[in-house]
Amino acid sequence: KGLCKNDYKPHLIDPKIQWDGNLETFMIYKEGVESHYAQVHKSYLLDPTFQKAYLRLGINAINTCKDKTITDIVFARDNQGLYGAIQRTTLKAPSAKSILKKYKNENDGVRVWIELCKRNDSDGNIMLRRIKLRTIVNKSYDSNYPGGLAKYAQDTESVVSELAWDLNEGTYQN
């Protein structure tokens, strides 16, 4: 049994749903992913209330779902499926690669989705996102940085890459 039951059929995300890493296209991407997961009855994974419970309770968050058919096995399969869907749909998004790498061992799609949205959504306000990026890149390292020097370097590199991408695409404005 487990995650390899023979009767399981994955619901592959439409290959047209792709994100290039650009803040300006994130909302369209997000809507595509949300629409897909609603159609395959797995929208609970993207529900902010469930996500908050998941961050607090881990796998026990399934007990907060209205749908009582979601077991730990179903959740694990759905969560891995979300990870794979994000991985498949963000091949051209450099900022997503660092997030995916962070959760690769667990294939934790919910945590990847939460972080992707936190970094890129800004309620659709690109200027807010750019201000946030500038603040991060201008922050000096100190010994209290969460995750230490390696995490600081990783975060800074990711932000610089994103800002450089915007600049190279001609979308970055001072």
Side-chain angles (χ1 to χ4, degrees):
K1 289 196 173 194
L3 297 180
C4 299
K5 281 180 77 174
N6 292 334
D7 62 347
Y8 174 70
K9 292 188 175 42
H11 300 280
L12 298 178
I13 195 162
D14 185 334
K16 293 176 187 167
I17 299 171
Q18 294 289 318
W19 185 48
D20 57 7
N22 189 336
L23 288 172
E24 294 167 351
T25 60
F26 184 76
M27 289 306 294
I28 296 167
Y29 168 72
K30 181 180 176 187
E31 289 169 5
V33 172
E34 288 173 343
S35 173
H36 169 78
Y37 276 84
Q39 290 172 354
V40 298
H41 308 287
K42 297 180 186 317
S43 59
Y44 76 97
L45 293 167
L46 310 179
D47 181 274
T49 303
F50 174 78
Q51 291 174 348
K52 287 177 188 171
Y54 178 65
L55 291 176
R56 199 175 67 253
L57 305 170
I59 188 83
N60 292 323
I62 62 172
N63 298 323
T64 68
C65 291
K66 291 176 186 173
D67 182 352
K68 297 304 175 193
T69 64
I70 301 169
T71 64
D72 55 346
I73 292 171
V74 169
F75 171 72
R77 185 182 295 144
D78 291 348
N79 196 20
Q80 287 178 353
L82 177 58
Y83 182 91
I86 295 169
Q87 190 176 37
R88 183 172 191 242
T89 59
T90 59
L91 295 172
K92 296 180 181 176
S95 61
K97 289 185 187 340
S98 64
I99 299 170
L100 285 160
K101 186 177 179 181
K102 183 175 177 181
Y103 299 106
K104 183 177 181 171
N105 291 339
E106 302 86 11
N107 287 307
D108 195 335
V110 173
R111 289 185 192 274
V112 171
W113 185 252
I114 291 168
E115 198 164 324
L116 260 181
C117 290
K118 186 177 176 184
R119 281 193 189 182
N120 299 290
D121 196 338
S122 297
D123 292 323
N125 189 324
I126 294 164
M127 292 314 293
L128 276 179
R129 176 69 181 148
R130 289 181 178 148
I131 290 167
K132 194 181 212 182
L133 291 173
R134 287 187 202 139
T135 302
I136 293 168
V137 82
N138 289 326
K139 186 175 183 178
S140 298
Y141 173 74
D142 72 30
S143 58
N144 294 323
Y145 193 87
L149 182 59
K151 179 71 171 128
Y152 171 79
Q154 180 185 19
D155 290 349
T156 303
E157 179 180 276
S158 177
V159 169
V160 169
S161 294
E162 188 172 336
L163 288 171
W165 187 89
D166 273 356
L167 184 61
N168 289 334
E169 291 294 313
T171 59
Y172 186 77
Q173 298 171 0
N174 287 325

